[in-house]
Amino acid sequence: MKKKKVVIALGGNAIQAKDATAEAQQQALKETARQLLKIMKAGYDMIITHGNGPQVGNIVLQQQASNTEKTPAMPLDTCGAMSQGMIGYWMENALEDAMEEAGIKKNVATVVTRVEVSPDDPAFQHPSKPIGPFYTEEEARKMMKEQNITMIEDAGRGWRRVVPSPQPVNILEHKMINQLMEGGNVVIAVGGGGIPVIRKNHSHIGVEAVIDKDFAAQKLAELVNADILLILTAVGHVCIHYMRPDEKILTDISIEELKKYLENGEFQPGSMKPKVEAAILFVESNPSRKAIITSLDHAFDALEGKIGTQIMVEQVPV
């Protein structure tokens, strides 16, 4: 029986909760690795993608704090590359430890991944992707004046810096990533949505942006011809009428039905909306594909069809 390819998009809770120390984030990844081990044991070929919002935001702050002529601050695309290497390193260690304990012999590799975007993407004119920590309104307004950056109030939790979030048009390393996966390796790639680059004069140039990790995972899953896109977040299912008395969870659902809920404004931007949109794009790219949205602790059961929001062309899987 042919092993199924799955691209797994890890949410931020898989890496960092409240504690931003390296030790705390590595500890969180140990639990993440234990959940991913169940998928590995079942024989799935997998590529792991992940977010980097808090991490890249903190790296940017550290760069700014030490910015001098001798130690100039690095641009956002380079900070994104730093976060890919850092989180990939932590995740490699966590996965290798889990596999060693389980007696599984596989290699784990992180691919620092560039994601091509269009220089004409309208997102460059409308920054919307929050990065970094939360601030009070007073702090935010002072930073906007002093640093010439854009900050917005984020869902009642405080103010955050926002940067452009263009759509991915290509994953430059996708062939290498696919070869590694098909060679029996566990691959960590497209961290934080990948390093955003544009094509100019036969070269690729980094740009000041952060690509949404769910759209980047979708594009990668499409390019490597994955069978399943598994988007992991903080909740077990997608819901409509969220946090209302008539809240309803969605289980098996067709993309057409999900599109209607999307059009009706059921899903919040920056939260569930990009996950739903990425899932629809992936399933539309090939009718035999399936997307799943669920929580990390339900990841394996969701792949087995027992839980989570299962998104297909038709409501009943064939």
Side-chain angles (χ1 to χ4, degrees):
M1 181 179 176
K2 178 181 175 290
K3 290 192 288 186
K4 287 190 174 181
K5 290 183 182 180
V6 56
V7 170
I8 302 171
L10 291 173
N13 62 320
I15 306 168
Q16 180 177 325
K18 294 180 180 179
D19 191 340
T21 64
E23 293 79 10
Q25 293 183 76
Q26 289 175 82
Q27 187 58 44
L29 282 167
K30 286 183 182 294
E31 176 54 34
T32 297
R34 283 192 281 269
Q35 296 295 334
L36 296 177
L37 196 66
K38 299 174 186 177
I39 298 170
M40 209 181 299
K41 285 180 175 178
Y44 289 92
D45 283 332
M46 64 184 190
I47 298 169
I48 303 163
T49 72
H50 59 81
N52 73 341
Q55 294 82 10
V56 76
N58 288 338
I59 289 171
V60 170
L61 288 176
Q62 291 159 3
Q63 292 289 312
Q64 291 171 346
S66 62
N67 185 23
T68 67
E69 187 176 341
K70 289 186 176 180
T71 58
M74 294 295 106
L76 184 55
D77 58 305
T78 301
C79 292
M82 292 178 187
S83 72
Q84 276 198 34
M86 177 178 72
I87 297 169
Y89 157 61
W90 290 342
M91 197 173 292
E92 285 174 359
N93 285 343
L95 285 167
E96 284 183 349
D97 289 348
M99 289 188 295
E100 178 75 22
E101 191 176 320
I104 296 175
K105 295 189 181 299
K106 276 181 176 283
N107 294 315
V108 184
T110 298
V111 177
V112 176
T113 314
R114 297 166 297 163
V115 177
E116 186 177 350
V117 300
S118 169
D120 301 320
D121 194 303
F124 286 110
Q125 306 305 318
H126 305 282
S128 62
K129 182 70 174 175
I131 63 170
F134 293 92
Y135 296 93
T136 65
E137 182 176 355
E138 183 181 356
E139 290 171 328
R141 295 199 180 280
K142 182 180 178 183
M143 291 172 67
M144 284 191 284
K145 184 177 180 180
E146 293 177 351
Q147 300 176 28
N148 193 29
I149 58 176
T150 303
M151 300 187 76
I152 63 167
E153 197 277 329
D154 186 0
R157 297 175 292 178
W159 287 64
R160 295 176 81 186
R161 181 185 176 186
V162 287
V163 298
S165 184
Q167 290 292 309
V169 298
N170 192 22
I171 311 289
L172 299 186
E173 288 79 17
H174 77 269
K175 291 182 180 179
M176 176 71 72
I177 292 165
N178 192 49
Q179 287 172 3
L180 285 168
M181 178 184 63
E182 292 191 339
N185 304 289
V186 178
V187 189
I188 303 161
V190 196
I195 304 162
V197 298
I198 59 171
R199 183 77 172 171
K200 186 175 181 180
N201 298 330
H202 309 292
S203 298
H204 286 100
I205 301 170
V207 291
E208 292 272 312
V210 172
I211 300 165
D212 186 277
K213 70 180 188 304
D214 297 310
F215 286 119
Q218 175 271 320
K219 178 57 70 173
L220 178 62
E222 181 184 327
L223 289 171
V224 302
N225 196 28
D227 300 291
I228 301 169
L229 173 62
L230 176 62
I231 299 175
L232 300 178
T233 184
V235 294
H237 297 83
V238 178
C239 296
I240 55 172
H241 316 316
Y242 186 59
M243 299 288 285
R244 287 165 36 184
D246 58 344
E247 178 179 297
K248 177 186 175 183
I249 65 170
L250 304 179
T251 53
D252 292 353
I253 187 167
S254 70
I255 54 173
E256 290 307 317
E257 187 178 357
L258 199 56
K259 281 181 181 179
K260 291 176 183 176
Y261 292 134
L262 190 62
E263 290 167 3
N264 291 338
E266 285 286 355
F267 312 117
Q268 289 298 311
S271 180
M272 190 57 74
K273 185 179 179 182
K275 295 171 176 54
V276 168
E277 290 175 331
I280 289 171
L281 284 171
F282 178 67
V283 175
E284 280 187 326
S285 67
N286 188 320
S288 67
R289 293 170 174 165
K290 177 167 73 169
I292 305 169
I293 302 175
T294 191
S295 58
L296 174 63
D297 56 339
H298 290 139
F300 174 70
D301 286 339
L303 278 176
E304 298 294 296
K306 298 176 182 177
I307 199 168
T309 301
Q310 310 271 333
I311 303 159
M312 296 148 285
V313 170
E314 301 295 338
Q315 187 164 342
V316 179
V318 295

